[in-house]
Amino acid sequence: MKREVVIIGAGPAGLAAAIEATKNGCQVLLVDENRTAGGQFFKQLHKFFGSQAHSAGIRGFEIGKQLLKETEELGVEVWLESSVIGIFAGKRVAVLRNGITETVEAQSILICTGGAENPLRFPGWTYPGVMGAGAAQTMVNVNRVLPGKRILMIGSGNVGVIVAYQLLQAGADVVGIVEGMPRIGAYGVHAAKLKRAGVPFFIGHTIAEARGSDRVEEAVIARFENGQILKGTERKIDVDTICVAVGLRPLSELAQMAGVKHGFIPELGGFMPIHNTDMETSVEGIYVAGDTAGVEEASTAMDEGRLAAVSVSCALGHLNRADAEQKKEEIRDRLASLRQGPFGERRMNAKNRVIEMGVTM
Amino acid sequence: MEKQRGLIYDGYPSREEIVSANGWPSEERFARGPVAIAECVQEIPCNPCEAACPFHAIKIGTPITNTPRIDEDSCTGCGSCVAACSGLAIFVVDKTYSESEALISFPFEYLPLPEKGDKAEALSRAGEYVCEGTVVRVMNPKKNDHTPVITLAVPTDKVDDVRTMRRLVLPEPGKGFENVEPEGVLDDDVIVCRCEEITAGEVRDAIRNKKATTVTEVKRRCRAGMGLCQGRTCGKLVSRILAEELGSAPDTLTGSTDRPPVRPTTFGELAGTKKEV
Amino acid sequence: MSQIYDIAVIGAGSIGTSCAYYNAKKGADVILIDAGDIADSTSSRSDGNILVCDKQPGFDALFAKASQDMFPGLEKELDYNIEWTQKGSLYLTETEEEFEIASRFCSDMKQCGIEMRMLDHKEVLEDEPYLAKDIYGGLETISDGSVYPIGLAYAFALAAERLGAVLSLHNPVVDLKKEENYFSISCENGTILAKNVVNACGVRAPLIGKMAGLDIPIRARQGQILVSEQTFRVARRKVHEFGYMLTKFQSGDYERPVSERVKRNEVAFVFEPTASNNFLIGSSRSFVGEDIRSEIDVMQALAERAIRFFPVIAGIKVIRAYSGLRPFTPDHMPIVSGTAIPGFYIAAGHEGDGIGLSPITGKCMADIIAGEETFMDLSPLSFERFSN
């Protein structure tokens, strides 16, 4: 089987890319292992930030619905419950679907498989009741199941704080947010929502232990300085759930398997595929976008998906160079606007390093 | 150690931070009636409030990371911006409500909602009890998209402190924090690879005594990362231990080689034949 | 002037580590050099079979048997858990014709002193109850066993180190020169001097050979493997199809009744249970240079062939696929010998048998370098045999 473009992952980046590439005249196959497309969108009940061009002010799942509707209207070929198990020589994508393995030969591949939650090792981290914050978010927002009644959140970044807020809304008690750094990591407005609701922040603290007989019953937290637990500062609290939100890393196994060069960019999640300003990797015809191309946000993911799609469309001859360059510049300008301010600048600088590494590699 | 104050330490902005980033209405303006106050002090890429104001009183401009400034003369205190703010960081204060009371309107996304006339516990930015308030309005039109806006009447001298109300249904309280002695679990006994049940001690042994220098070399020596998940969970934990043990920079420690299938696939699915029942 | 080692072994796979160990055991000053880690290449990508059943009657079988006989004592001698088990192995024959070929092979091997016996249809199904019901018969080899191949190389390397050998890992050799009384080996981390060199570089032995001016006829013959999840005991020991012999030696007129996919990838069914309750499924053969990427068509053929013999495998998960490079020689026999260059030795070219043949190879290499007599005449393994 052959397709011009295979897009792996139908989250924010993949959906936006599929729409853009199809509009430009590419023959697209969009593959996702979940039962519904949309990726992280359907876990995001909060209103998005950004500008109007990024659907700011609209709740994440509503943006997802709009994009899904658009893919349907455009007639994009979408394979759901289909897992890509590998990318093989000659840009062949092996897809596990309906109980058999099908191989699709692509001219261009766009990998938007997103990110994965980082684990944290502490005594008791393997108890039932310790889970990633993203997993808790799926339970509460997608499956409508409360993961626990008394929850301690480890990590005060945007993920930890947003998930803590949604757990509160669902009726759980968030007993505290523990942060190893000496400051809160999330956008202040997210933190302020929790603070108003009476949730305490423990900055400069870490989780020392999870205790229980066969599942989490207590969490022990302690002061944390210079990478060490300060002895004698341990305090315990009764909880049934500990959520870990200590960052995401790019999920790039498929890119690695395809021979894409990687670099280490801590601000974007660690090892990640190196790409150029068109989102193309070191392997010609293989592109990355979204969290796979460095962990950022849904708004940047959508625009990176569109940027990759424009590049692919041009490379396959569906867009002339001048039109493509104009479109790319518009998208790059929007991306630049999202990467400003004290939070965005770090990512902007990191992204620039990715591009530089691509040039020197 | 002196405690540092401010949004990134306390979780809520100080009055100084608000005044400097967003400004604060003048007393004359308060005297004229309801007025919006933005409490959005960080430069984040977000501007829906700008478009939400029918009177163009909110200014962000370019870049969109600018903090919002509200022109007190154009602002009518209509409250359109309160529910439009993705960060729930805009409030409307009306100090002209009555002789002794002022109104504070705030976004409130917790069910159940209060009803007009209810008494409520008014809370500060820090979530602490300030005073009792009375619910005078509950606005939840469709255009708010599930961000109800509650208006409380509180004593005028408290209105600058009140920013929300206590949720009406609270989870059962727990025992709370108590000091405790650590159990002294040795880190060497903590599991690193869940699939193969490999401990931190076994990973260290592979590094210290068996010359492992990379995630792959650790895997070959002690099986950490050889299980069902193929190191997707423990890979990062192993590289952290390697960095500690070898003193190497994290960027020199590549992960283990990713191999197909990246999702466990049955032999039957791979062979392309239907699974036998 | 820096130290001159007695022996520099280049290559820290199962063969090189064994050569280092047995030479150090004789009291030689040994340095073991590798471009990467211990067992970095073929030895970490192979199965752990210690077989005589897949050897040709005669020298090949006797040499393999001598190596196999060393394994029971190795765990203790090396003080390392190499996961040695000795449960025998089972060949499966699909057709009557295959059964006949296997029977002749069985009697030839028995004449060499290899303990084997034929199993008929009923016996073979009793032996492995999950087998497909139409398997014609089998051939059992009593003495076959298996180890954890990577562990074996660590065991040899660490034991050699305890005997005084120096391990110089992550130190690629870039050039090699013969001086009057010693070799000067330029490595990335400096120059190493040694009176003798053992080229134990497997598929990369030709590169080292070239530095010494020798043309070593070893080619990389790729093989792919699928690894299962931890699961129940599908089969209690090593099971493979007799057709494996036919693909390995590319001989005979017999055509197996297999699909196009199995045929084009030279896939022959091999099942190996591991100590950690996974199993490995092989095998494939192809000449594709040094490419060790997995190939979906081969993976599919491997799975298809495994299910043909054990239908129950269809529902078990594959967690990993990988491939490695067998050091292939034109006559399927390794090179374990000296060369025209005094002091330059080769221990390489074991194709798919490097793990099983490693103890005897290391031991013979130590005897050869020490000028002692080997346990049998090793002329079939001489480098000279390729000089014409």
Side-chain angles (χ1 to χ4, degrees), chain A residues 18-328:
Chain A
I19 291 166
E20 180 69 37
T22 306
K23 279 184 183 166
N24 294 334
C26 298
Q27 176 202 33
V28 173
L29 172 63
L30 178 61
V31 186
D32 195 285
E33 63 183 348
N34 296 293
R35 204 173 301 163
T36 51
Q40 296 295 311
F41 274 135
F42 292 99
K43 293 164 66 172
Q44 309 307 331
L45 304 190
H46 60 283
K47 292 175 181 171
F48 271 38
F49 290 6
S51 69
Q52 267 173 324
H54 303 109
S55 309
I58 301 177
R59 295 186 188 274
F61 69 97
E62 296 286 0
I63 305 174
K65 277 193 206 162
Q66 286 170 13
L67 292 181
L68 278 188
K69 193 166 157 250
E70 216 172 324
T71 52
E72 267 165 39
E73 285 166 1
L74 287 167
V76 178
E77 185 180 11
V78 186
W79 286 4
L80 297 173
E81 292 184 272
S82 304
S83 302
V84 172
I85 60 170
I87 295 177
F88 297 90
K91 292 201 202 79
R92 282 168 308 140
V93 181
V95 188
L96 171 58
R97 179 175 185 242
N98 295 331
I100 61 166
T101 303
E102 295 185 56
T103 305
V104 185
E105 198 178 321
Q107 288 179 49
S108 299
I109 299 173
L110 172 56
I111 304 171
C112 338
T113 45
E117 299 194 89
N118 288 330
L120 187 67
R121 182 182 90 241
F122 54 87
W125 77 282
T126 51
Y127 277 134
V130 180
M131 66 181 78
Q137 193 180 33
T138 304
M139 285 176 77
V140 68
N141 292 350
V142 179
N143 305 317
R144 307 284 165 158
V145 176
L146 208 51
K149 286 185 174 156
R150 290 179 56 75
I151 299 169
L152 181 69
M153 180 66 66
I154 314 300
S156 75
N158 277 336
V159 172
V161 170
I162 289 171
V163 174
Y165 179 65
Q166 291 168 353
L167 288 166
L168 272 191
Q169 288 180 300
D173 196 3
V174 177
V175 301
I177 297 183
V178 174
E179 172 58 56
M181 301 295 285
R183 51 160 293 173
I184 294 167
Y187 285 171
V189 287
H190 286 313
K193 291 192 289 187
L194 283 170
K195 191 70 187 179
R196 287 201 292 274
V199 176
F201 283 85
F202 298 96
I203 59 173
H205 277 68
T206 192
I207 172 96
E209 279 171 38
R211 294 179 179 180
S213 43
D214 53 6
R215 58 161 295 122
V216 174
E217 290 164 13
E218 287 174 348
V220 177
I221 67 167
R223 293 268 298 281
F224 188 67
E225 281 174 18
N226 307 318
Q228 299 285 325
I229 284 176
L230 224 58
K231 296 279 173 226
T233 63
E234 291 89 352
R235 277 183 292 169
K236 70 169 183 181
I237 184 155
D238 51 318
V239 295
D240 57 15
T241 304
I242 298 172
C243 286
V244 178
V246 292
L248 301 166
R249 65 182 169 86
L251 207 47
S252 68
E253 299 149 303
L254 290 170
Q256 257 195 48
M257 201 177 289
V260 168
K261 284 181 181 143
H262 279 55
F264 189 82
I265 311 283
E267 300 92 326
L268 299 173
F271 275 99
M272 57 166 286
I274 298 305
H275 60 78
N276 64 15
T277 51
D278 286 346
M279 307 310 297
E280 190 172 15
T281 66
S282 62
V283 179
E284 198 194 336
I286 296 189
Y287 297 75
V288 287
D291 281 356
T292 305
V295 174
E296 292 190 85
E297 292 172 354
S299 44
T300 47
M302 286 186 278
D303 268 341
E304 282 194 344
R306 291 180 191 117
L307 182 56
V310 171
S311 311
V312 167
S313 307
C314 181
L316 296 179
H318 293 294
L319 269 185
N320 70 51
R321 189 162 290 276
D323 288 349
E325 284 310 315
Q326 196 193 332
K327 279 188 169 214
K328 285 183 203 169

Side-chain angles (χ1 to χ4, degrees), chain B residues 76-95:
Chain B
T76 66
C78 71
S80 297
C81 50
V82 177
C85 170
S86 301
L88 308 190
I90 305 182
F91 306 87
V92 172
V93 169
D94 180 1
K95 294 190 180 180

Side-chain angles (χ1 to χ4, degrees), chain B residues 211 220-221 230 260 265 267-268, chain C residues 37 148 161 314 318 320-321:
Chain B
K211 302 179 190 299
R220 288 178 187 157
R221 283 159 175 84
Q230 287 294 293
T265 305
F267 283 88
Chain C
D37 183 25
Y148 177 51
E161 193 179 39
V318 180
R320 176 167 71 243

Side-chain angles (χ1 to χ4, degrees), chain C residues 44-278:
Chain C
S44 61
R45 302 193 178 99
S46 62
D47 60 31
N49 294 316
I50 310 300
L51 306 180
V52 293
C53 69
D54 62 345
K55 305 301 180 289
Q56 289 160 312
F59 177 89
D60 193 9
L62 292 174
F63 188 66
K65 185 68 172 62
S67 200
Q68 193 179 63
D69 288 344
M70 294 170 75
F71 275 92
L74 272 185
E75 202 148 282
K76 198 165 165 222
E77 179 176 341
L78 303 176
D79 189 25
Y80 198 102
N81 178 13
I82 59 170
E83 302 178 10
W84 164 246
T85 57
Q86 192 166 24
K87 293 180 181 159
S89 70
L90 179 65
Y91 268 131
L92 302 174
T93 59
E94 267 188 293
T95 61
E96 186 179 352
E97 192 186 351
E98 219 177 74
F99 189 80
E100 291 308 320
I101 303 172
S103 300
R104 285 198 295 279
F105 174 71
C106 178
S107 69
D108 289 349
M109 288 292 268
K110 280 208 270 202
Q111 286 201 343
C112 290
I114 307 295
E115 226 183 319
M116 283 188 167
R117 72 182 183 105
M118 297 305 295
L119 277 71
D120 65 16
H121 175 70
K122 187 161 165 281
E123 287 170 320
V124 81
L125 285 177
E126 274 168 14
D127 196 65
E128 292 295 357
Y130 288 115
L131 272 178
K133 301 297 172 231
D134 63 336
I135 297 305
Y136 190 87
L139 165 58
E140 183 184 18
T141 307
I142 309 301
S143 63
D144 284 347
S146 71
V147 295
Y148 177 51
I150 304 174
L152 178 69
Y154 296 148
F156 276 133
L158 296 175
E161 193 179 39
R162 284 196 296 276
L163 292 172
V166 173
L167 269 51
S168 181
L169 302 172
H170 303 285
N171 190 18
V173 171
V174 289
D175 198 13
L176 185 144
K177 265 205 304 280
K178 171 87 172 149
E179 306 291 347
E180 203 173 329
N181 297 318
Y182 57 86
F183 291 88
S184 170
I185 307 162
S186 313
C187 302
E188 271 186 12
N189 302 340
T191 300
I192 292 167
L193 309 178
K195 290 177 206 151
N196 300 285
V197 168
V198 179
N199 177 0
C201 286
V203 292
R204 288 175 196 117
L207 288 176
I208 301 292
K210 208 170 168 195
M211 294 176 192
L214 298 175
D215 183 18
I216 303 175
I218 290 175
R219 291 170 72 197
R221 196 179 193 190
Q222 194 218 53
Q224 308 205 11
I225 287 177
L226 301 178
V227 187
S228 82
E229 62 182 319
Q230 294 189 343
T231 183
F232 63 96
R233 204 173 65 181
V234 172
R236 66 191 174 92
R237 58 180 173 179
K238 191 208 170 66
V239 181
H240 45 179
E241 64 172 300
F242 191 70
Y244 173 84
M245 291 293 280
L246 309 171
T247 60
K248 179 180 175 186
F249 295 112
Q250 299 161 307
S251 60
D253 303 326
Y254 176 70
E255 278 269 345
R256 294 180 297 155
V258 296
S259 72
E260 236 343 276
R261 184 163 70 179
V262 167
K263 197 172 160 188
R264 70 171 166 261
N265 292 305
E266 292 184 57
V267 163
F269 169 66
V270 175
F271 171 99
E272 186 198 348
T274 72
S276 12
N277 302 314
N278 315 71

Side-chain angles (χ1 to χ4, degrees), chain A residues 125 165 188 249 253 340, chain B residues 42 63 109 178 191 232 269:
Chain A
W125 77 282
Y165 179 65
R249 65 182 169 86
E253 299 149 303
Q340 286 167 352
Chain B
Q42 290 173 328
E109 295 182 327
E178 340 169 6
I191 297 256
R232 282 173 199 105
E269 289 164 338

